[in-house]
Every structure is written in C-alpha cells, then in structure tokens.
C-alpha cells in the first residue's frame, strides 16, 4: 500500500489529523491496534477549550457537539469543605469552554471517516516504523493474518502513551521529562443529572471533582492512593466518600445512582523532546502526558494536530518544509504551558501523602490568595481556557 501520510493510532489525534488532511486534499491511511468498539468504549476527557471547539466546528465536526455539549463560563473551586469561588473564564477572557465527552468526539470522527470512506485499518498488529530518516519511510504490520507494508512520505505517531512511535526514536535523540504523582483518580460515570457546574474540591480527605457528560450523565472523580484496588470501591462507598469531600449543599445536590463505568487512572506528567525524528512526527499522548487536573490532554492532542496538519498542508501545497521543521519547537512551547498548568493545579488541589505541615499551609495560602485576588483568578482563567493556537 502507498499513501502520503501514514497515521499510527485511531484515537482523537489520529482520526482528527486524517480528517483535516483529507479536507486539505492529502491522502492518509490510519492504522489502529484495537477494535472500533474498544476505542469507543474508553471513557476519558470531558472538557474542551474554546480553541478545540472552534477547530472542530471549522472542519464540520461540531454539529452534535453544539447540540449536546454544555457550554460553561467558568469552573468552581471549593476547599476545606466550605470556601467556594468561581474562576470566571468568560469575564476575564470573553471565552467559554464546553463539556462534551471524548467518547462522543471519537464517535463523530469515526462517522465522518465513514462518510468519506476513510482508509482506517483496525486491529493491526506487530506494527513497526522503518527508514524514518530516509525520504521514503514505510510501516510494516499484520492485518487479518496478512503481513502488510505501507509506503509513505511522512508518518504521524498518534498512538498514545504506550504506542510504538515514540519508542522508534533512538533513545540518545530523545530527552524525557517525567513526574509521577503518588495517587490516582477513581472515576465513575452514572446516569444521574450532574451538578450545574464543574467543581474541583480540595479537601483534607483528598481531591474530588464533579463533572458531566450530558444533562442525564454525570462524571465524578476522587483522589485515591496509588495501588488502590477498584474492588474496594463499591458504588455506595464512592458516593459517601465524594459527598464527604464537598460542602453540604453540593453534597446534598448530588444525585446518586449505579455507576455504568468505573476506573482508576494514575497521574503523571511526561514530555518527550523532540517530537520529530526524520519523517516521523509525534502528536498527542504519544509525545506527552498531563495529569487530568487541568483538563488539557485532549486539548493538547488537538493543538498538536492543528500545527502538524498546517505544516503538512504547507508542504503539499507549496513545497515548503519550514513549518514541518518548526513543528517540534512550536508544539512543545504550547505543550509545556499546559504541562505547567496541569502540574500547578495538581499541586494546588490534591493532598500529598507525607506532605509536611509547611506544604499544607503554603497550599492553603495559595488557595486563599486565589480566592481573594482578581489577578490570580484572571491568570488561572487564562490558562484553564487554553492559550491561543
Ligand atoms: P489516545 O486516545 O491514547 O489514542 C491512541 C490510539 O493509538 C492506538 N495504539 C496503536 N495503534 C497502532 N499500533 C500501536 N502499536 C498502537 N498503540 C496504541 C491506541 O489503541 C489508541 O486508539 O491518544 P490521543 O489520540 O493522543 O488522545 C489523547 C487523549 O486521549 C488524552 O490526552 C485525554 O483523554 C486526557 N484526558 C483529558 N483531556 C482533556 O483535554 N480534558 C479532560 O477533561 C481530560 N480528562 C483525560 C481525562 C484522561 C483520563 N485518563 C483515563 C487517562 C480524564 C481521564 C480520567
Ligand atoms: C471530565 O469531565 O472527565 C473531566 C473534567 C475536568 C477535568 C478532568 C476530567 O479536569
């Protein structure tokens, strides 16, 4: 097989890149390890920056999002179970953001792909990237028991944190920056009406978050120690724990019900520099991971795809490689600002096991400052809303 751009991974980054390239007249083939049902079953991100929303609309992917998504002007922070304040993104930046699930975006992208008969091969195995530093790289893999070879001009590594693309960059050419946190998020999805706002809680018992997917679907998370066994968290225990971490009026407003999904995600910050090796370009979680506290992961995947698609379009329409050459540095600048914001919010909102009394007072003072300072709120609002592309 032959194509212009081989895309590894049919997650949001890979499928969005394929869609945008198609609309710019560039041919691609997407190779995905798992089945479509498996990819669509993953419950992940829920908050889209305005830049993400605008880009999806620009490429005709915003119809269902505009019908079903929930627009927010800001988010709430509560701490110590009592103090509450609103980070008003609309007031400070005249921007909004959208609660709309990654699962829905993934469905929208697959349906858009079906309409244009996109070349997406699911359940490929043994994928290897070859000749990355020559002008003619190729990908080998097996599909339905058959060995295949895909020739291309460029390869986009959109295969997530555990994919093969990043590992195909020689170790000595990669610089890795990593931070692991000593806790994870236990999340549940329940068919109950959510609270009106997205609310982040810092509580002596640990962090908690109230979010949503639709007027009838809620998403809640609590901080749990690393290594927690999900079997120890039946729904009743989850509900009583999360209620204990919110002020009484919010806890009373939470409508409980059986969970329809429950999972634990570890928290980690990770950046790979460079995001390019020869003809291979990394995008999304393949190149970086942020803890979910800033709701940045999916939005970063989208901004990488924006820069990469723009660079590939410039190459195929004008023959210039300047934007491709600048891709890694351009993307990384935005990546680091989201990595920093996510790290900052993680530190601000979680309880760290073994943290000293000094750390605790400093955290409380930071929250107090944020609560009382217009300037601090404006700065956080700007970061939460997302920097311009
Ligand atoms: P994905 O979604 O991991 O997709 C990668 C795809 O590549 C496939 N793959 C391979 N394919 C072929 N060959 C191989 N060898 C392969 N290895 C892997 C995989 O099967 C998969 O289909 O990466 P992508 O596209 O970069 O998208 C990134 C986002 O999924 C991720 O950043 C977000 O979900 C992070 N995230 C959030 N981001 C936000 O912007 N806002 C949020 O509110 C938000 N909340 C979250 C989150 C992530 C969470 N978890 C579970 C980690 C909440 C949680 C709990
Ligand atoms: C979500 O709705 O899943 C969500 C919202 C905000 C975050 C992380 C996840 O910061």
């Amino acid at each position: 097989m032959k194509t212009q751009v081989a895309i590894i991974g049919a997650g949001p980054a890979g499928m969005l890149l394929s869609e945008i390239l198609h609309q710019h007249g560039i041919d691609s083939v997407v190779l995905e390890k798992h089945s479509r049902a498996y990819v669509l079953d993953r419950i992940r991100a829920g908050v889209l920056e305005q830049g993400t929303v605008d880009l999806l609309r620009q490429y005709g992917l915003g119809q269902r999002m505009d019908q079903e998504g929930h627009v927010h002007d800001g988010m709430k922070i509560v701490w110590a179970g009592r103090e509450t304040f609103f980070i008003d993104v609309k007031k400070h930046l005249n921007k909004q953001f959208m609660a709309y699930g990654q699962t829905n975006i993934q469905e929208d992208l697959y349906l858009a792909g079906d309409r244009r008969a996109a070349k997406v091969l699911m359940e490929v195995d043994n994928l290897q990237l070859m000749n990355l530093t020559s002008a003619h790289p190729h990908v080998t893999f097996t599909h339905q028991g058959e060995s295949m070879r895909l020739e291309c001009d460029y390869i986009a590594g959109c295969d997530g944190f555990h994919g093969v693309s990043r590992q195909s960059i020689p170790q000595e050419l990669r610089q890795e920056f990593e931070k692991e946190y000593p806790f994870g998020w236990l999340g549940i999805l329940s068919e109950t009406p959510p609270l009106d706002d997205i609310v982040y809680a810092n509580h002596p018992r640990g962090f908690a978050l109230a979010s949503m997917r639709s007027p009838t679907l809620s998403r809640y998370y609590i901080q749990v120690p690393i290594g927690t066994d999900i079997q120890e968290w039946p729904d009743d225990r989850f509900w009583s724990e999360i209620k204990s971490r919110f002020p009484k009026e919010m806890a009373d407003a939470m409508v409980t019900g059986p969970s329809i999904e429950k999972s634990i995600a570890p928290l980690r910050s990770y950046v790979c520099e460079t995001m390019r090796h020869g003809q291979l370009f990394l995008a999304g979680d393949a190149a970086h991971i942020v803890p979910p506290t800033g709701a940045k992961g999916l939005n970063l995947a989208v901004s990488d795809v924006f820069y990469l698609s723009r660079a590939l379009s410039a190459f195929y329409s004008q023959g210039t490689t300047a934007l491709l050459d600048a891709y890694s540095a351009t993307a990384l600048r935005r990546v680091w600002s989201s990595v920093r914001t996510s790290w900052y919010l993680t530190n601000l909102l979680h309880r760290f096991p073994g943290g000293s009394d000094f750390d605790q007072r400093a955290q409380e003072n930071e929250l107090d400052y944020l609560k009382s300072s217009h300037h601090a709120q404006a700065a956080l609002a700007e970061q939460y809303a997302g920097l311009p592309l």
Side-chain angles (χ1 to χ4, degrees), residues 200-218:
Y200 293 84
N202 174 322
H203 189 274
R205 296 183 66 86
F207 168 84
L209 168 61
S211 184
M212 63 202 64
R213 289 293 176 274
S214 78
T216 54
L217 201 54
S218 304

Side-chain angles (χ1 to χ4, degrees), residues 303-368:
S303 68
D304 288 351
V305 164
F306 166 79
Y307 295 126
L308 184 55
S309 60
R310 185 179 65 170
L312 288 166
S313 299
F315 172 74
Y316 283 109
S317 62
Q318 297 145 36
T320 74
T321 59
L323 289 177
L324 284 171
D325 295 337
Y327 170 73
S328 182
T330 311
L332 278 168
R333 180 155 181 257
R334 199 170 189 286
V335 165
W336 271 110
S337 86
S338 292
V339 166
R340 194 193 64 76
T341 300
S342 304
W343 162 81
Y344 166 76
L345 278 171
T346 301
N347 285 318
L348 181 73
L349 296 173
H350 291 76
R351 295 291 167 134
F352 282 71
S356 66
D357 293 345
F358 178 92
D359 296 337
Q360 186 52 39
R361 279 287 183 275
Q363 190 192 59
E364 284 165 16
N365 180 264
E366 175 93 35
L367 283 158
D368 195 22

Side-chain angles (χ1 to χ4, degrees), residues 44-47 185 198 200 209 211-213 219 221 292-295 384:
R44 287 185 165 186
V47 176
W185 281 15
I198 294 171
Y200 293 84
L209 168 61
S211 184
M212 63 202 64
R213 289 293 176 274
R219 180 76 167 152
Y221 299 95
T293 329
Y384 195 79

Side-chain angles (χ1 to χ4, degrees), residues 49-51 93 95 296 334 338 381-388:
E49 295 173 356
Q50 190 167 322
L93 291 133
K95 284 185 179 175
K296 294 292 177 206
R334 199 170 189 286
S338 292
E382 182 176 37
Q383 296 168 71
Y384 195 79
L387 298 181

Side-chain angles (χ1 to χ4, degrees), residues 10-13 15-16 40 45-49 52-53 56 61-62 64-65 68 98-112 298-299 302:
M15 289 306 289
L16 179 63
L40 287 173
V47 176
L48 308 181
E49 295 173 356
T52 298
V53 169
L56 292 172
L61 295 161
R64 178 154 78 120
M65 174 183 75
E68 297 179 14
M98 179 89 86
Y100 185 64
Q102 179 168 329
T103 315
N104 292 0
I105 294 182
Q106 192 81 65
E107 277 169 12
D108 298 345
L109 284 165
Y110 278 134
L111 292 175
L298 174 61
N299 292 294
V302 169

